[in-house]
Amino acid sequence: MKIAVIGQSLFGQEVYCHLRKEGHEVVGVFTIPDQNGKADPLGLEAEKDGVPVFKFPRWRTRGQVLPDVVAKYQALGAELNVLPFCSQFIPMEVINAPRHGSIIYHPSLLPRHRGASAINWTLIHGDKKGGFTIFWADDGLDTGDLLLQKECEILPDDTVSTLYNRFLFPEGIKGMVQAVRLIAEGKAPRLPQPEEGATYEGIQKKETAKINWKQPAEAIHNWIRGNDKVPGAWAEACGQKLTFFNSTLNTAGLVPEGEALPITGAHRPGVVTKRGLVLFGNDDRMLLVKNIQLEDGKMIPASHFFKGEDNSALELTEAELVTMEAVRNAWKRILPNILEVEDSTDFFKSGAASVDVVRLVEEVKELCDGMELENEDVYMATTFKDFIQLLVRKLRGDCKESECVIDYVEKTVNKLTLRMPHQLFIGGTFVDAEDAKTYETINPTDGSVICQVSLAQISDVDKAVAAAKDAFENGLWGKISARDRGRLLYRLADLMEEHQEELATIEALDAGAVYTLALKTHVGMSIQTFRYFAGWCDKIQGSTIPINQARPNRNLTLTRKEPIGVCGIVIPWNYPLMMLSWKTAACLAAGNTVVIKTAQVTPLTALKFAELTLKAGIPKGVINILPGSGSLAGQRLSDHPDVRKIGFTGSTEVGKHIMKSCALSNVKKVSLELGGKSPLIIFADCDLSKAVQMGMSSVFFNKGENCIAAGRLFVEDSIHDQFVQKVVEEVRKMKIGNPLDRDTNHGPQNHQAHLQKLIEYCQRGVKEGATLVCGGKQVPRPGFFFEPTVFIDVEDHMFIAKEESFGPVMIISRFANGDVDTVLSRANATEFGLASGVFTRDISKALYISDKLEAGTVFINTYNKTDVAAPFGGFKQSGFGKDLGEAALNEYLRVKTVTFEY
């Protein structure tokens, strides 16, 4: 079909491109004249394709059509006029000229909101449904017969921009193409518009956008978002006009504490808080405004209204200076009337319009390896100098200029001032839980309260999953190259290393980890894990496969390894940061996004980690972190239909429940690292000193709160007594104390409930007849300290021989000299199979034992020797799937087979 496209803007450009892809012949494009030397995107695109472009300043004068204009139009022989977005008045001589007439796009559900500011009024009136209409043009104002309508839900915080970008723009393009297809097929309806429910509202202008304060908070919120960004709802305060943007009614947990801002005509003064400007309706309900534009045009975070201007300019590196000049050239291309772009050049005062904001954001993305700015960033930094400073801060991963406001809990501990986030981390922002729900996190060293932490509710899980899904499907994360993804993970690892003392101190404070161990293992191995998987990002490859040819043709089959999507990770309390890292690093390297549920008793290192992801420049929504209960937040994550994978470390009982939930919800992929009762077999021909040293470590490492801890030691009869004697001697040397003291060997157990379980566990061992050699009791001091414990004479039927203590309890059983097969049978007589170990100088015996032991890891003449490159996971009821090593990547990938015939 021969089509004339009449209109302007990026929307018009996209409709034009899609119509050509559909095979239609665009015989001419009619658009607006160049503005300040810049051509409209629609005209630019058509000129590239060699399509005739006309830029009439007007189509008629004094009510009379211009004959030469109509003649030029008629010469094209168009069969249909398509008006995607047009600000000019098109005469009826042109509208009615084609055989099929003219169709127009309108951004509302006609007959509601006729007129040029339809999107604004949809929001101002608080409509719950919005959408667009494609109608047949007539001589009325948006009154023509209906051809096609599509509707969408209006979200509570939608603005003109978000509604347009989310639905009206992408779906409107599809709708215009669909409408033309229906016309070409002779199936396009003409439905008269009903007059019932019809409304007409005038164009929103700055002078009419003043806020009326004599109305409820919801109405004020609707007025602000309905005028965001153009023309901008304003009020008078502090002797100037302030324009408000980015309004929300979501004020859960917000306490209006801060500096008062008197506003002319307002029911109550506003309050400038850490989260923004709190405003009040005449119903005394609150709304929150996050950005303010001053009278001079400068946009600032509302929380900074009373703060002085930050004059601390960054000193740019040589590479950043090169970037600056490249961006300067981009400004010159966008602002052709400006001879030189200087530090003081203002983007908007130099003639830029909203379409140029989009262009600048796209140019920066190309120049800066996929760095995705928000349109908001351009409005917040309008001069070239401010824009470069903002850009460089983002490229460096410095969140100083970001909108994220972090409400820290501060404590001076370990000669450091800890600044700890304590809220949920969703979509790149720290937020309160629904209804401001919180709980106390406890210091196990003395039982004191560290701080209140937000407690995730079901709705919070839904928000986090939605943020992760949006980041996966629409965000920068899926668009950047795998190598750039690795670069971000390397940067995150570097930041973790910079903050390792702070992270280790928080781990000691919140989890009772001995500080020196936390530095090396809890934090040190976490850093290594992110570096290891960062290196894997650009090495995830498929393969080509020879298959039977479809003669006489030929075939090519290849596989692609793709990310799964949104992954849920549920981490335990014994290694809060390390377990997070083991799973999250592989998950991110594979290209997924993630929602992490921390253990309720140890949330603080994960939340500090969240802050570091902001500084690293990890895009918003890629990582979301929720402190919360397993029964509520963990369950919802397992049940959620948009989560495609669950990675869980914890008890076998809970693992089975998660596996069932994953099956019943949407058949999620799942990997489980569950309970253990790892056997350690010590033969008489071992290096006894080393066996004692490593045997101690196998049980008492990290206070016994270690998933691969040797749950049962089998010691050959001839060295049993000597081994026990040496172990007891070493136990008595262990210093129990504050985990932050450098000479402490043994800190507190993680939490009160676990301490009580250990007490009961040992009592049952004694009751069943095992011999308690030492320990078995709580240490008489504040906190959750438990004595390192040794049991001997443990028989196979006893509870403590079969069940995991997950604490500093050594369970020792004898086996007859030389009876290898019997001790192997006893070692394997468990439903667990996470790890195992053997000490012997006989290499043949060691290899035989390693073949026969039913465990995912076998240590020979060592123990606890895990490495980021070595896969880790269990057999039997210790779970399935692997953490660490290349094998871990497969847990977060799916394989797609693609077959060509040629």
Side-chain angles (χ1 to χ4, degrees):
M1 194 157 49
K2 293 182 176 180
I3 294 173
V5 177
I6 305 174
Q8 64 208 66
S9 78
L10 287 171
F11 184 72
Q13 177 193 50
E14 287 295 318
V15 170
Y16 160 83
C17 291
H18 280 73
L19 290 176
R20 280 174 55 87
K21 286 179 183 175
E22 285 269 309
H24 300 293
E25 180 186 358
V26 178
V27 295
V29 165
F30 297 84
T31 188
I32 57 175
D34 295 355
Q35 305 289 321
N36 297 318
K38 292 182 298 182
D40 184 80
L42 171 59
L44 274 175
E45 192 69 29
E47 285 172 349
K48 284 187 207 171
D49 297 330
V51 173
V53 176
F54 303 89
K55 301 180 180 181
F56 302 139
R58 64 186 66 83
W59 293 70
R60 63 180 188 170
T61 181
R62 296 179 182 175
Q64 298 299 312
V65 68
L66 296 173
D68 58 328
V69 170
V70 174
K72 289 178 180 177
Y73 164 80
Q74 290 176 334
L76 299 174
E79 298 173 299
L80 174 70
N81 292 331
V82 174
L83 285 72
F85 171 69
C86 183
S87 61
Q88 294 180 313
F89 185 91
I90 311 301
M92 293 305 297
E93 288 85 346
V94 173
I95 292 293
N96 293 330
R99 177 161 62 95
H100 293 296
S102 302
I103 60 171
I104 301 177
Y105 171 89
H106 186 79
S108 80
L109 297 173
L110 291 174
R112 189 162 173 79
H113 305 308
R114 293 169 177 164
S117 295
I119 311 177
N120 304 73
W121 289 103
T122 297
L123 297 170
I124 290 168
H125 283 284
D127 292 358
K128 303 302 181 187
K129 294 286 182 184
F132 63 83
T133 303
I134 297 168
F135 67 96
W136 300 95
D138 66 2
D139 58 358
L141 187 61
D142 303 330
T143 57
D145 292 344
L146 305 178
L147 192 163
L148 181 150
Q149 287 188 320
K150 290 190 178 181
E151 70 173 35
C152 68
E153 181 184 1
I154 305 295
L155 303 178
D157 289 341
D158 262 333
T159 64
V160 174
S161 295
T162 61
L163 180 56
Y164 185 71
N165 293 333
R166 188 182 80 249
F167 185 81
L168 297 177
F169 183 89
E171 295 302 320
I173 293 164
K174 296 176 189 175
M176 288 298 279
V177 173
Q178 182 184 351
V180 172
R181 190 182 301 133
L182 289 170
I183 294 169
E185 294 170 353
K187 300 177 181 177
R190 289 177 178 264
L191 306 173
Q193 281 194 42
E195 282 306 308
E196 183 180 351
T199 63
Y200 172 81
E201 295 94 2
I203 296 175
Q204 274 298 89
K205 299 179 180 178
K206 192 70 175 181
E207 56 267 27
T208 61
K210 186 176 182 180
I211 298 171
N212 171 17
W213 296 100
K214 295 179 180 178
Q215 51 186 342
E218 184 174 0
I220 295 172
H221 164 66
N222 287 336
W223 183 261
I224 293 172
R225 69 187 182 123
N227 287 283
D228 184 339
K229 291 279 183 291
V230 178
W234 59 276
E236 294 174 343
C238 295
Q240 62 174 317
K241 285 183 180 178
L242 301 180
T243 306
F244 301 138
F245 298 102
N246 203 349
S247 168
T248 178
L249 289 171
N250 182 10
T251 57
L254 176 61
V255 179
E257 293 178 351
E259 194 163 350
L261 176 64
I263 300 173
T264 304
H267 174 64
R268 287 170 55 180
V271 181
V272 176
T273 71
K274 289 180 180 179
R275 287 172 57 183
L277 173 63
V278 176
L279 301 173
F280 299 90
N282 63 3
D283 56 355
D284 280 325
R285 284 190 62 204
M286 297 187 294
L287 62 144
L288 182 69
V289 167
K290 296 181 181 176
N291 299 111
I292 297 175
Q293 187 176 40
L294 307 179
E295 202 160 34
D296 63 4
K298 184 175 178 63
M299 185 89 76
I300 63 169
S303 59
H304 293 183
F305 183 76
F306 287 117
K307 295 181 180 178
E309 192 167 341
D310 184 4
N311 295 314
S312 57
L314 295 175
E315 185 175 338
L316 306 190
T317 64
E318 288 185 16
E320 289 165 348
L321 288 170
V322 171
T323 300
M324 179 180 75
E325 292 309 313
V327 174
R328 193 190 303 274
N329 289 331
W331 277 50
K332 288 178 182 178
R333 290 192 292 273
I334 296 170
L335 306 171
N337 292 336
I338 304 300
L339 296 177
E340 287 297 328
V341 174
E342 300 174 344
D343 284 354
S344 59
T345 301
D346 188 285
F347 192 66
F348 297 102
K349 291 178 181 177
S350 300
S354 57
V355 67
D356 300 310
V357 173
V358 177
R359 181 178 169 186
L360 179 57
V361 167
E362 291 302 312
E363 292 242 17
V364 166
K365 188 189 296 185
E366 282 194 23
L367 292 170
C368 301
D369 297 325
M371 168 58 69
E372 189 159 311
L373 297 179
E374 305 285 343
N375 292 359
E376 192 80 20
D377 294 322
V378 184
Y379 290 103
M380 298 283 278
T382 60
T383 67
F384 183 73
K385 178 182 178 182
D386 289 346
F387 183 78
I388 290 298
Q389 290 284 310
L390 178 143
L391 177 60
V392 170
R393 289 186 193 279
K394 284 182 174 287
L395 288 170
R396 291 182 182 182
D398 182 352
C399 65
K400 181 177 181 181
E401 293 293 330
S402 76
E403 291 182 10
C404 183
V405 177
I406 303 176
D407 183 19
Y408 293 105
V409 171
E410 293 193 3
K411 286 189 178 293
T412 301
V413 182
N414 200 25
K415 299 180 182 178
L416 297 171
T417 299
L418 303 179
R419 303 183 76 222
M420 300 177 289
H422 61 101
Q423 296 167 290
L424 312 181
F425 184 68
I426 300 175
T429 305
F430 286 97
V431 296
D432 288 335
E434 181 189 5
D435 297 330
K437 290 281 181 65
T438 63
Y439 69 97
E440 296 175 343
T441 187
I442 304 298
N443 180 351
T445 301
D446 58 12
S448 63
V449 175
I450 302 171
C451 64
Q452 294 285 330
V453 176
S454 294
L455 181 65
Q457 304 299 298
I458 289 175
S459 63
D460 299 311
V461 177
D462 292 344
K463 291 173 189 173
V465 171
K469 186 169 188 270
D470 184 61
F472 181 77
E473 294 178 351
N474 306 312
L476 176 65
W477 191 243
K479 298 172 186 174
I480 62 175
S481 70
R483 195 158 295 158
D484 286 336
R485 190 162 68 240
R487 180 176 55 83
L488 289 173
L489 295 185
Y490 275 124
R491 186 186 297 168
L492 177 57
D494 290 344
L495 283 163
M496 292 169 72
E497 189 168 53
E498 288 176 28
H499 291 263
Q500 62 183 333
E501 292 183 354
E502 187 176 7
L503 289 166
T505 302
I506 296 172
E507 203 88 320
L509 191 70
D510 198 29
V514 173
Y515 174 74
T516 50
L517 177 65
L519 268 178
K520 179 181 181 295
T521 302
H522 293 237
V523 179
M525 195 172 185
S526 299
I527 296 165
Q528 292 174 24
T529 303
F530 272 98
R531 286 196 174 128
Y532 174 81
F533 283 108
W536 267 110
C537 288
D538 60 356
K539 301 171 188 68
I540 298 171
Q541 302 168 349
S543 58
T544 56
I545 303 170
I547 66 169
N548 289 334
Q549 308 291 350
R551 296 175 182 175
N553 293 340
R554 299 177 67 81
N555 292 100
L556 170 66
T557 293
L558 56 89
T559 59
R560 292 168 49 94
K561 290 185 177 181
E562 300 178 341
I564 294 171
V566 179
C567 299
I569 290 176
V570 182
I571 56 176
W573 45 258
N574 57 324
Y575 293 107
L577 184 63
M578 193 172 79
M579 291 295 101
L580 177 152
S581 301
W582 281 20
K583 296 184 188 302
T584 303
C587 175
L588 297 179
N592 301 286
T593 58
V594 65
V595 178
I596 301 167
K597 193 205 80 67
T598 73
Q600 189 170 341
V601 291
T602 53
L604 296 181
T605 40
L607 294 174
K608 189 66 184 179
F609 168 83
E611 179 191 346
L612 298 182
T613 69
L614 290 176
K615 291 186 175 184
I618 304 292
K620 295 177 180 178
V622 172
I623 298 172
N624 305 271
I625 298 181
L626 304 176
S629 71
S631 59
L632 196 69
Q635 184 65 56
R636 177 55 182 162
L637 202 55
S638 301
D639 290 337
H640 203 292
D642 290 332
V643 175
R644 294 295 170 186
K645 158 71 197 259
I646 291 288
F648 171 74
T649 295
S651 72
T652 298
E653 180 185 5
V654 174
K656 289 178 179 179
H657 185 79
I658 285 176
M659 192 173 174
K660 182 178 179 181
S661 297
C662 289
L664 293 177
S665 55
N666 58 347
V667 196
K668 291 176 180 63
K669 188 173 184 178
V670 61
S671 54
L672 305 172
E673 195 248 280
L674 307 176
K677 188 66 175 176
S678 301
L680 175 57
I681 304 173
I682 300 173
F683 287 95
D685 62 355
C686 70
D687 178 337
L688 187 59
S689 296
K690 186 176 182 182
V692 170
Q693 174 198 347
M694 300 307 298
M696 293 278 293
S697 174
S698 75
V699 174
F700 301 125
F701 189 83
N702 198 46
K703 312 161 293 176
E705 296 169 352
N706 187 21
C707 50
I708 58 172
R712 193 173 181 195
L713 278 66
F714 295 92
V715 181
E716 197 162 7
D717 192 66
S718 62
I719 62 166
H720 175 275
D721 293 348
Q722 188 180 2
F723 179 85
V724 172
Q725 179 186 344
K726 287 181 176 292
V727 163
V728 172
E729 287 172 0
E730 293 300 316
V731 166
R732 301 199 191 285
K733 295 176 187 176
M734 293 174 67
K735 184 190 172 184
I736 303 171
N738 189 325
L740 291 169
D741 291 346
R742 301 307 189 262
D743 58 349
T744 291
N745 306 117
H746 189 80
Q749 304 309 137
N750 188 276
H751 52 281
Q752 176 72 58
H754 181 51
L755 173 66
Q756 188 57 41
K757 284 183 180 178
L758 289 175
I759 294 169
E760 294 169 1
Y761 182 92
C762 291
Q763 289 172 345
R764 184 160 180 179
V766 172
K767 186 177 179 180
E768 290 188 347
T771 301
L772 179 64
V773 178
C774 63
K777 301 188 296 297
Q778 181 176 357
V779 179
R781 57 174 290 168
F784 311 141
F785 291 86
F786 190 77
E787 295 175 341
T789 299
V790 178
F791 276 101
I792 63 172
D793 302 326
V794 179
E795 298 178 14
D796 294 353
H797 68 274
M798 293 180 179
F799 176 82
I800 62 173
K802 296 185 291 184
E803 298 298 327
E804 181 181 30
S805 71
F806 212 66
V809 183
M810 183 179 283
I811 308 294
I812 302 176
S813 298
R814 296 172 182 265
F815 70 92
N817 293 333
D819 196 350
V820 175
D821 289 326
T822 300
V823 75
L824 263 174
S825 176
R826 295 172 69 193
N828 286 330
T830 172
E831 274 300 301
F832 300 110
L834 189 56
S836 60
V838 57
F839 278 82
T840 178
R841 286 191 173 97
D842 185 339
I843 188 64
S844 297
K845 187 191 296 179
L847 288 172
Y848 177 77
I849 295 284
S850 68
D851 284 345
K852 298 295 184 181
L853 282 172
E854 298 169 0
T857 296
V858 180
F859 297 109
I860 299 176
N861 295 329
T862 187
Y863 208 89
N864 286 326
K865 182 59 179 173
T866 53
D867 188 272
V868 294
F872 178 92
F875 296 168
K876 299 188 285 190
Q877 291 197 42
S878 287
F880 52 84
K882 297 295 182 184
D883 291 325
L884 304 178
E886 181 183 1
L889 290 168
N890 295 324
E891 303 297 332
Y892 299 94
L893 292 166
R894 61 186 183 188
V895 177
K896 178 183 288 182
T897 302
V898 181
T899 298
F900 296 84
E901 188 164 313
Y902 59 97

